[in-house]
Amino acid sequence: MSLSIATGLRAIRQTSVAFGRRGYAAAAGANTLLLVEHKDGAITGATLNALTAAKAMGGNITALVAGEAPEAVAKAIAEFEGVSKVLTASDASYEKNVAEDLAALLVAVQEKNAFSHIFAGHTAVGKNVIPRAAALLDVAPISDIIKVESEDTFVRPIFAGNAIATVKSSDALKFVTVRATAFESAVSGGGAAAVETVAESPKVGVTQWAGEEIQKSDRPELASAKRVISGGRGMKSGENFELLYKLADKIGAAVGASRAAVDAGFVDNSLQVGQTGKIVAPELYVAVGISGAIQHLAGMKDSKTIVAINKDADAPIFQVADYGLVEDLFKAVPELTEKL
Amino acid sequence: MSNPLRIFVPVKRVVDFAVKVRVNPAKTDVDRNVKHSMNPFDEIAVEEAVRIKEAKKAEKKEVEVVAISCGTAKAQETLRTALAMGADRAVHVEVKDDATLQPLAVAKLLKAFTDKEEKKPDLFILGKQAIDDDANQTGQMLAGLLNWPQTTFASKVTIENEALKVTREIDGGLETLETKIPAIITTDLRLNEPRYASLPNIMKAKKKPLVKITPEDLGIDVSPRIQTIKVEEPAKREGGRKVESVDELVDKLKNEAKVL
């Protein structure tokens, strides 16, 4: 008797699983979860680029907003075209993007919803959380994609952007982080997704956020600025960066730096452009006193127009620059600022 | 915390950072017949582990630093470098082909090794990313598999007994996390300046213990989950034009490039 009940239950379960699978296969395209990154109540830029990448696959997109009070951000992302549902999860640790708790949440949400893809921006948060969640689900994630070929095939740079690989995932679930500069930013409007609260997932609670030091600046955000002026070792000191700030303010640009300038203490780490710093692709990139090492080029060579100002005519930066000026930056930069 | 405090440092042999890689004619990979060296972020990881060892020595606390590399036989050169920098012993997980060895497989190998090893680690310090695949995944994946806390992109590390305090490089600045060991740390560039191995230390490193194991010993399937379909050169830029003066530059930016 009990055996037959068990068999019957198993049959029902198998039927529902099979039905569920058929249901998914019949739906058009991917069924994607987008991890919405936000800070101080605003959706971060990279999330909107990741949304565009997710839309390139077709299918449904569900946005996950986790934070201390996720409602306002959830409402904002619900208004984007292509977002069919928004899930919210509330906890203080999510607000600080604590990896252990956020990855556990992703796993719980995935187990309940069986998404085909999980997308996030390739930001400090995305890089930190996505691989952990992927490992917990036994999936090999794909980092920093610059193109969506199909639902399982993506394009990503390797070797500091000196080679471009097309890769295909054999996992049923794809974890993908998206290079912001490779996709247009999604524009708000045209969407009216329903917002639902997800069931609470257990907190790991082992890591506490103890504080932050954010560099305050009135200039545009480096990663998304339309114009970027960067300084390198040739600037000689932090005080001399004032020359670049003046030029940047005149044309509404963000200021970046090479590793040499950061290591020498001229400017903060968060301004580093390159393989291991920020990747930028503005309309105008002005490299001042930067030689153009492979690692720096990795972060800026997709800029639309590159200008180099350097007194060394043999500096490698001139090989990628659309316009190169061989001159002492201490003469050329003030002159340029004055003439604009 | 075990006694001694034991730090495992995974290191990877990669194409040297100064080499400009070229795509192979078959467009399946890059040409790997070039100079290799230890991944720069891993040098920082070894340096940090050795610095912790030196600092704890002053407190009469013993620290053991174990370097691990997953790769072909040539990975042993990288392990010897780590030993010459101050690691105490090395473990080589020998795989036949490291061009297709992916972060998930490496994380699983490290997890399986941790489970099997009698002298368990208290801390893993890894580089934040390898400069070949640029994945930035292994440390986070290992943390997930071990169910340990993770402090990635570290620019400052403090260990007091079992408490771990790490300052991390995040977008826009820095943040500080507090957690407990056992834990995973991944290193950012600003954490330290790695030392050069001295000739006497290179000689001494040849005598330090290095054991070899295989993925089969650990029961791990290292076959890739992600298949590389093709590898291409990036689009070439038409750079190289020089202007003579600031006036000409302003003119070109306004009238030719139309970016001002």
Side-chain angles (χ1 to χ4, degrees):
Chain A
M1 180 63 187
S2 63
L3 184 72
S4 73
I5 290 173
T7 314
L9 274 177
R10 201 175 305 138
I12 291 168
R13 213 176 292 142
Q14 279 167 354
T15 313
S16 66
V17 166
F19 181 74
R21 284 211 185 116
R22 208 176 307 128
Y24 162 59
N31 185 19
T32 304
L33 182 73
L34 173 72
L35 177 63
V36 177
E37 195 185 320
H38 56 95
K39 190 162 176 67
D40 304 327
I43 302 166
T44 60
T47 298
L48 301 180
N49 305 105
L51 172 56
T52 301
K55 279 161 83 171
M57 291 185 303
N60 296 320
I61 298 169
T62 300
L64 174 64
V65 184
E68 198 155 16
E71 295 77 17
V73 174
K75 196 163 164 280
I77 196 77
E79 289 170 5
F80 280 78
E81 190 204 345
V83 176
S84 51
K85 193 158 88 172
V86 181
L87 300 175
T88 60
S90 175
D91 192 85
S93 67
Y94 301 151
E95 189 68 27
K96 302 304 182 191
N97 300 302
V98 173
E100 294 81 11
D101 294 324
L102 208 46
L105 172 69
L106 279 173
V107 170
V109 168
Q110 171 60 19
E111 282 175 347
K112 187 147 188 299
N113 296 275
F115 292 105
S116 63
H117 295 74
I118 298 181
F119 269 49
H122 192 65
T123 60
V125 173
K127 289 179 217 178
N128 193 31
V129 173
I130 294 296
R132 184 180 180 104
L136 292 170
L137 291 163
D138 193 25
V139 171
I142 300 176
S143 297
D144 202 18
I145 64 154
I146 57 171
K147 196 174 167 206
V148 174
E149 287 279 343
S150 70
E151 284 177 37
D152 62 4
T153 306
F154 305 92
V155 180
R156 60 181 302 269
I158 53 175
F159 290 91
N162 285 300
I164 307 295
T166 302
V167 298
K168 183 177 170 156
S169 166
S170 60
D171 287 313
L173 168 63
K174 283 95 184 158
F175 271 95
V176 175
T177 59
V178 176
R179 176 175 292 200
T181 57
F183 296 88
E184 295 288 322
S185 181
V187 179
S188 181
V195 179
E196 285 175 25
T197 309
V198 299
E200 202 163 315
S201 88
K203 304 298 170 305
V204 181
V206 67
T207 299
Q208 275 77 43
W209 183 86
E212 67 183 5
E213 282 173 55
I214 299 296
Q215 291 294 312
K216 292 267 176 271
S217 168
D218 295 334
R219 290 184 197 94
E221 192 205 355
L222 181 57
S224 57
K226 291 217 180 328
R227 294 166 182 171
V228 174
I229 317 280
S230 282
R233 197 196 310 270
M235 296 305 297
K236 293 203 169 83
S237 77
E239 289 76 54
N240 290 337
F241 261 73
E242 200 57 44
L243 294 173
L244 302 191
Y245 297 146
K246 276 188 194 143
L247 175 56
D249 289 342
K250 193 133 189 189
I251 61 170
V255 171
S258 70
R259 180 185 171 185
V262 175
D263 282 353
F266 300 169
V267 292
D268 186 71
N269 301 347
S270 58
L271 298 189
Q272 185 177 331
V273 171
Q275 181 182 19
T276 65
K278 295 278 186 315
I279 308 285
V280 301
E283 286 175 14
L284 174 63
Y285 188 88
V286 185
V288 181
I290 292 175
S291 64
I294 295 170
Q295 290 75 17
H296 185 74
L297 300 182
M300 46 64 80
K301 70 188 165 85
D302 292 325
S303 304
K304 193 164 155 262
T305 299
I306 297 174
V307 171
I309 300 174
N310 204 308
K311 64 182 176 191
D312 174 10
D314 297 324
I317 191 77
F318 285 120
Q319 289 161 26
V320 301
D322 298 286
Y323 305 108
L325 178 63
V326 182
E327 197 167 346
D328 186 348
L329 70 93
F330 294 104
K331 180 172 172 290
V333 173
E335 190 183 339
L336 184 59
T337 308
E338 191 196 323
K339 287 180 173 163
L340 285 174
Chain B
M1 193 162 83
S2 63
N3 197 9
L5 175 75
R6 193 166 287 116
I7 307 175
F8 282 15
V9 187
V11 293
K12 185 177 186 181
R13 177 177 176 270
V14 298
V15 170
D16 188 85
F17 72 92
V19 172
K20 176 137 173 35
V21 298
R22 302 261 174 239
V23 172
N24 68 11
K27 294 194 189 301
T28 53
D29 196 1
V30 300
D31 175 12
R32 291 181 191 255
N33 293 319
V34 291
K35 187 188 173 202
H36 280 61
S37 51
M38 189 191 294
N39 179 43
F41 289 99
D42 302 348
E43 289 185 352
I44 295 170
V46 174
E47 176 66 31
E48 192 64 19
V50 174
R51 285 189 191 188
I52 292 169
K53 181 185 165 108
E54 289 165 350
K56 295 286 172 188
K57 198 173 182 180
E59 299 168 21
K60 306 251 184 283
K61 168 87 191 156
E62 205 189 327
V63 176
E64 186 186 32
V65 178
V66 184
I68 307 174
S69 193
C70 305
T72 62
K74 286 181 175 166
Q76 292 196 8
E77 298 163 10
T78 307
L79 288 169
R80 291 291 171 199
T81 305
L83 292 169
M85 287 175 72
D88 299 290
R89 62 185 169 96
V91 177
H92 176 212
V93 184
E94 184 165 24
V95 298
K96 289 173 200 81
D97 178 11
D98 53 14
T100 59
L101 186 67
Q102 292 171 355
L104 181 59
V106 174
K108 284 182 176 179
L109 289 170
L110 296 172
K111 155 81 161 81
F113 179 72
T114 304
D115 289 346
K116 211 174 168 181
E117 174 78 357
E118 274 175 40
K119 298 174 179 172
K120 297 226 182 292
D122 301 288
L123 207 56
F124 265 97
I125 308 183
L126 305 86
K128 79 164 176 181
Q129 77 192 63
I131 59 164
D132 51 2
D133 64 16
D134 281 331
N136 196 327
Q137 297 170 349
T138 307
Q140 297 87 313
M141 298 183 101
L142 178 61
L145 295 176
L146 287 168
N147 196 24
W148 288 6
Q150 67 189 52
T151 52
T152 52
F153 325 144
S155 61
K156 188 168 181 241
V157 171
T158 320
I159 305 168
E160 298 272 356
N161 297 317
E162 298 191 5
L164 174 67
K165 189 171 171 180
V166 172
T167 301
R168 310 177 57 229
E169 297 200 11
I170 58 168
D171 297 334
L174 300 170
E175 76 172 10
T176 302
L177 296 179
E178 291 174 357
T179 190
K180 282 191 300 203
I181 62 170
I184 305 286
I185 298 170
T186 76
T187 63
D188 217 318
L189 278 176
R190 244 63 64 175
L191 182 58
N192 60 47
E193 185 119 355
R195 70 194 65 190
Y196 289 103
S198 65
L199 189 59
N201 284 342
I202 293 170
M203 300 313 287
K204 269 188 235 162
K206 292 182 179 172
K207 297 201 178 79
K208 288 185 180 176
L210 187 157
V211 300
K212 191 168 89 177
I213 54 174
T214 65
E216 291 73 33
D217 296 337
L218 297 170
I220 297 298
D221 172 14
V222 296
S223 51
R225 296 282 190 85
I226 296 169
Q227 186 199 343
T228 299
I229 295 172
K230 64 179 173 192
V231 176
E232 294 166 296
E233 295 277 352
K236 286 265 180 294
R237 281 197 78 95
E238 298 280 329
R241 274 182 293 166
K242 298 240 170 86
V243 294
E244 292 301 321
S245 65
V246 170
D247 285 321
E248 191 187 345
L249 178 61
V250 171
D251 175 63
K252 296 275 189 198
L253 292 177
K254 281 187 172 158
N255 302 316
E256 196 173 271
K258 297 189 174 25
V259 287
L260 282 178

